[in-house]
Amino acid sequence: MSLPLTGGAGPSRTPSPRLTRLRRRLTPYTFVAPTLVGLALFLVYPLVSAVYFSFTRFNLIQAPEWVGLDNWRFLFEDDNVVRAAKNTLWLVLVMVPARMLGALLTALLLNQVKRARGVYRTLFYLPALAPPVAATLAFVLLLKPGTGPVNTALSALGVDDPPLWFNDPAWAKPSLVVLAMWGIGDLMMIFIAALLDVPAELHEAASLDGAGSWQRFRYVTLPSISPVLAFAAITGIIGTLQYFTQAAVAASVASGQVTGGGGISDTFGYPEGSTFTYPLWLYVVGFRYHVLGYANVLAVVLFVVSMTATVLLLRRFKEFTR
């Protein structure tokens, strides 16, 4: 009796065309699967959870209780939201263009330097490396009324009534803008790289056609660096909409009161609410009052505003570059 052969090579099986196509379609997804999983866990899930919790009464101790649109109705009755939104909008409209303009002018100036160019770039970039808390502390002390070096110098120059800076509601937000302008080194380096990437042939051709310095800048340089400008504007707007650390530290230090336990100060917004930004109110609602349902409403609104501003700005830059 003969036994069947089990170790020999049998006829090769050819996969079906449908299975082959399916494998080809799924292969790219295996490479991006880690990224997709990360986005799902750390972006999509928190966002969906924030939307859900915005319809609940939630304090991290008791189980969330569904309250429907109550939190969203209160959003339109909250005077603190209006005040914080106005301050944040002011910072967006003033601070972002000021930083972009200052960084671009500095980059253009440093590109014209022939000697010790690296030294000047390093000096202008160094302030951007300063920690936000330390930089804010230094600026509050420099601009301190009466004893600060800046006001002392202004008085020596004959200024009888120097500004109160962080202690004056009219000057508090401009003082934050000055602080932001001091740290434009990061944006300056990005603009320097973009300017160096503009083809020299375009400037030479424009010069041969009789274009002046302004015309070359307007019709050659600006269109060439417009993607970088869009990046700077979008990241600047998103960052300013989340403006928190400098406003919180400046208010606490300028008021002369130490921040309370848990990092929640009673002086947020000093003086007279002039530095009270939207993220500060979100933080107070969530971590002082523990009204996390309403805090999630504020967070969702901030996300929607940031995304809307990003989309609108991208459309404007596309129209500009056409």
Side-chain angles (χ1 to χ4, degrees):
M1 181 177 179
S2 60
L3 297 176
L5 298 176
T6 58
S12 60
R13 295 183 179 180
T14 304
S16 64
R18 181 179 299 178
L19 182 60
T20 302
R21 290 194 298 268
L22 180 61
R23 287 178 177 177
R24 290 178 178 176
R25 290 178 180 176
L26 293 179
T27 297
Y29 293 100
T30 60
F31 293 102
V32 299
T35 301
L36 294 178
V37 172
L39 288 175
L41 289 177
F42 301 109
L43 179 63
V44 178
Y45 173 72
L47 180 59
V48 174
S49 299
V51 174
Y52 167 74
F53 287 129
S54 68
F55 295 98
T56 65
R57 182 181 292 111
F58 183 42
N59 58 9
L60 280 181
I61 299 176
Q62 300 173 341
E65 178 186 352
W66 185 267
V67 294
L69 296 175
D70 289 353
N71 292 329
W72 290 91
R73 291 193 189 98
F74 184 73
L75 177 68
F76 299 97
E77 303 171 1
D78 188 359
D79 294 334
N80 287 315
V81 167
V82 177
R83 180 177 59 174
K86 287 181 179 179
N87 290 332
T88 305
L89 180 62
W90 189 97
L91 292 174
V92 169
L93 295 178
V94 177
M95 185 181 294
V96 175
R99 275 179 51 85
M100 290 182 61
L101 182 60
L104 182 58
L105 292 176
T106 306
L108 289 169
L109 179 63
L110 292 182
N111 271 355
Q112 304 300 319
V113 175
K114 302 301 181 182
R115 295 181 179 180
R117 179 181 299 177
V119 175
Y120 288 112
R121 290 178 181 177
T122 302
L123 292 176
F124 276 94
Y125 178 70
L126 282 178
L129 301 178
V133 173
T136 307
L137 282 170
F139 257 77
V140 173
L141 295 177
L142 287 172
L143 301 177
K144 188 175 182 180
T147 60
V150 174
N151 277 9
T152 301
L154 291 176
S155 299
L157 293 174
V159 179
D160 296 330
D161 190 15
L164 298 180
W165 303 109
F166 288 102
N167 294 83
D168 186 350
W171 280 95
K173 286 193 290 290
S175 300
L176 291 175
V177 174
V178 174
L179 171 61
M181 293 293 294
W182 178 71
I184 61 174
D186 52 347
L187 200 56
M188 176 203 70
M189 295 302 294
I190 295 175
F191 285 153
I192 287 177
L195 292 172
L196 293 176
D197 199 42
V198 178
E201 295 81 3
L202 297 179
H203 286 286
E204 294 174 359
S207 298
L208 292 175
D209 289 339
S213 299
W214 168 250
Q215 291 175 322
R216 292 198 303 271
F217 175 77
R218 170 64 180 86
Y219 297 105
V220 176
T221 304
L222 276 184
S224 298
I225 66 172
S226 59
V228 179
L229 293 175
F231 168 80
I234 291 171
T235 55
I237 290 175
I238 293 176
T240 309
L241 288 174
Q242 301 174 9
Y243 198 75
F244 178 89
T245 302
Q246 292 88 338
V249 174
S252 298
V253 177
S255 65
Q257 299 183 18
V258 180
T259 299
I264 304 175
S265 174
D266 294 329
T267 60
F268 281 167
Y270 177 88
E272 299 180 13
S274 58
T275 60
F276 194 68
T277 61
Y278 189 91
L280 282 175
W281 177 231
L282 193 159
Y283 184 74
V284 169
V285 169
F287 296 99
R288 175 186 293 172
Y289 302 132
H290 302 289
V291 187
L292 294 179
Y294 183 55
N296 278 281
V297 171
L298 298 176
V300 171
V301 170
L302 181 60
F303 173 78
V304 172
V305 171
S306 300
M307 293 301 297
T308 303
T310 300
V311 172
L312 293 177
L313 197 58
L314 284 175
R315 288 182 178 178
R316 294 292 297 176
F317 270 95
K318 286 182 179 180
E319 295 176 358
F320 175 77
T321 54
R322 285 179 181 177

